């Protein structure tokens, strides 16, 4: 295989496709197959395979950790809905919000507020979606370890790509976004 045989994700003009031209371009995002097929999803609910338990033991840049608190931390979502999509996670492997300690509840809330402030400073979103999916039936991709989603939103960020193409175009690499957010975090420890 040569470098000419490898294609980066991107738009492909319709005239180059087999079959009857339909006037549509195609945005190929083969890297999303890992998520769609669940290749990185834990096979059991235990701590050893939980990405939210493993991440704090790794280097911040490698694990996409933006900030470390006392009982919770902030990490980039590996499969973001929007650029800057953060997750606030307790270090403790706990699945249900009602099982958080008072200290964990307070720090998850405080880190969520700080994440919103930092995202406003760094990328100027017009709004946010905040939430936790509790249990697989509620949409939790990793139900065994709760995590608060902080999703920045911009006017018009929902376009035809996610609606029709089930694809999200993100303008910045996760590592670059993590570096900008970590540098802007108020305590400056990152």
């Amino acid at each position: 295989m040569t470098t000419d045989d490898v294609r980066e994700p991107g738009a492909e003009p319709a005239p180059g496709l087999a079959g009857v031209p339909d006037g549509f371009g195609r945005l190929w995002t083969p890297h999303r197959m890992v998520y769609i097929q669940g290749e990185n999803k834990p096979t059991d609910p235990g701590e050893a395979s939980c990405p939210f338990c493993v991440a704090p033991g790794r280097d911040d840049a490698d694990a996409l950790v933006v900030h470390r608190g006392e009982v919770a931390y902030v990490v980039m979502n590996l499969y973001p809905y929007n650029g800057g999509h953060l997750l606030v996670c307790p270090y403790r492997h706990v699945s249900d919000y009602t099982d958080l300690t008072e200290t964990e509840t307070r720090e998850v809330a405080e880190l969520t507020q700080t994440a919103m402030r930092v995202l406003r400073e760094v990328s100027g979103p017009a709004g946010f979606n905040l939430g936790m999916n509790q249990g697989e039936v509620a949409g939790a991709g990793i139900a065994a370890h709760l995590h608060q989603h902080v999703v920045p939103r911009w006017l018009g960020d929902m376009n035809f790509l996610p609606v029709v193409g089930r694809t999200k175009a993100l303008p910045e690499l996760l590592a670059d976004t993590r570096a900008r957010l970590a540098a802007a975090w108020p305590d400056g420890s990152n």
Side-chain angles (χ1 to χ4, degrees):
M1 181 186 304
T2 69
T3 55
D4 294 335
D5 297 328
V6 178
R7 288 191 174 200
E8 293 296 319
E12 180 179 23
L17 300 174
V20 179
D22 59 10
F24 288 100
R26 304 295 191 270
L27 180 63
W28 301 106
T29 56
H31 59 281
R32 294 283 300 162
M33 288 307 293
V34 171
Y35 177 73
I36 292 166
Q37 294 173 340
E39 291 178 30
N40 287 337
K41 191 170 183 178
T43 55
D44 66 69
E47 294 177 40
S49 64
C50 174
F52 300 129
C53 290
V54 173
R58 296 170 48 202
D59 174 72
D60 285 356
D62 182 48
L64 299 174
V65 172
V66 173
H67 173 79
R68 294 173 186 264
E70 294 296 319
V71 296
Y73 70 101
V74 180
V75 64
M76 300 294 303
N77 187 332
L78 191 55
Y79 305 104
Y81 296 126
N82 260 351
H85 182 166
L86 297 173
L87 302 172
V88 180
C89 309
Y91 291 114
R92 188 167 63 97
H93 190 73
V94 58
S95 63
D96 195 282
Y97 185 71
T98 61
D99 292 335
L100 288 178
T101 66
E102 186 176 319
T103 303
E104 289 168 329
T105 302
R106 183 175 26 261
E107 190 165 68
V108 166
E110 289 169 355
L111 290 175
T112 298
Q113 290 177 330
T114 303
M116 291 173 66
R117 289 181 186 111
V118 170
L119 283 162
R120 281 187 183 119
E121 177 186 328
V122 170
S123 55
F128 292 91
N129 288 120
L130 304 175
M132 290 182 197
N133 300 326
Q134 293 281 269
E136 280 189 43
V137 70
I142 300 172
H145 195 134
L146 75 82
H147 47 284
Q148 167 87 345
H149 292 261
V150 180
V151 183
R153 300 298 304 269
W154 292 268
L155 188 61
D157 67 13
M158 186 59 140
N159 57 33
F160 73 95
L161 284 174
V163 174
V164 176
R166 298 181 63 186
T167 300
K168 193 71 176 174
L170 301 166
E172 186 175 50
L173 296 173
L174 291 175
D176 295 342
T177 305
R178 188 217 70 85
R180 289 189 322 119
L181 294 172
W185 206 267
D187 70 359
S189 66
N190 297 302

